[in-house]
Amino acid sequence: MTGDVRLNGWSQDKISFCRCSGYVEQFDVQSPELTVRETILFSARLRLDRDVVTSEEDREAFVDQVIDDMELLPLADSLVGSDEGIGLSFEQKKRLSIAVELAASPSVVFLDEVRLSLSVIKTMYCAFLL
């Protein structure tokens, strides 16, 4: 297979495309020991462009906005938990996975099998946000 990767008509090299895109896997792989806020903040600290968000206060405010946008505010200080024990529901974990990718402020987000994980209303809401 051959071809070009283009974003808004502009040719992309592999590194720049990886930096401007996010991918939400079908199976959620979040740490059960962290809270929702800690999980998203960890992603933002690693991946958010430091030229865009320069201070920790701005980074935390950005994370709070992502939490609010993904309707995770009531769960922000809840542990992610595991599938076997107490923790977030399957749908809440999928929204958390989307939020983790949004914390990097990507230009493009790819969602794998999101419709199987979210209700119709939540799927439409996520599409509206993106």
Side-chain angles (χ1 to χ4, degrees), residues 21-114:
S21 63
Y23 178 71
V24 179
E25 294 186 33
Q26 180 178 1
F27 300 104
D28 306 311
V29 288
Q30 307 304 334
S31 177
E33 295 83 15
L34 296 177
T35 66
V36 168
R37 183 182 314 281
E38 290 169 337
T39 301
I40 300 168
L41 189 55
F42 181 74
S43 177
R45 285 178 176 152
L46 287 178
R47 300 169 61 209
L48 196 57
D49 188 349
R50 295 190 191 282
D51 293 333
V52 175
V53 179
T54 56
S55 71
E56 184 64 19
E57 294 80 26
D58 290 344
R59 189 173 296 105
E60 289 177 8
F62 181 79
V63 166
D64 287 340
Q65 184 62 53
V66 169
I67 290 171
D68 189 38
D69 288 345
M70 294 306 299
E71 296 184 342
L72 292 168
L73 199 53
L75 303 167
D77 297 314
S78 300
L79 288 176
V80 173
S82 64
D83 293 336
E84 297 83 34
I86 297 173
L88 302 179
S89 70
F90 189 69
E91 182 177 343
Q92 291 165 339
K93 285 182 182 178
K94 181 54 70 178
R95 286 189 283 139
L96 175 59
S97 293
I98 296 169
V100 164
E101 290 305 313
L102 293 179
S105 191
S107 299
V108 178
V109 180
F110 299 96
L111 305 168
D112 186 8
E113 299 288 346
V114 70

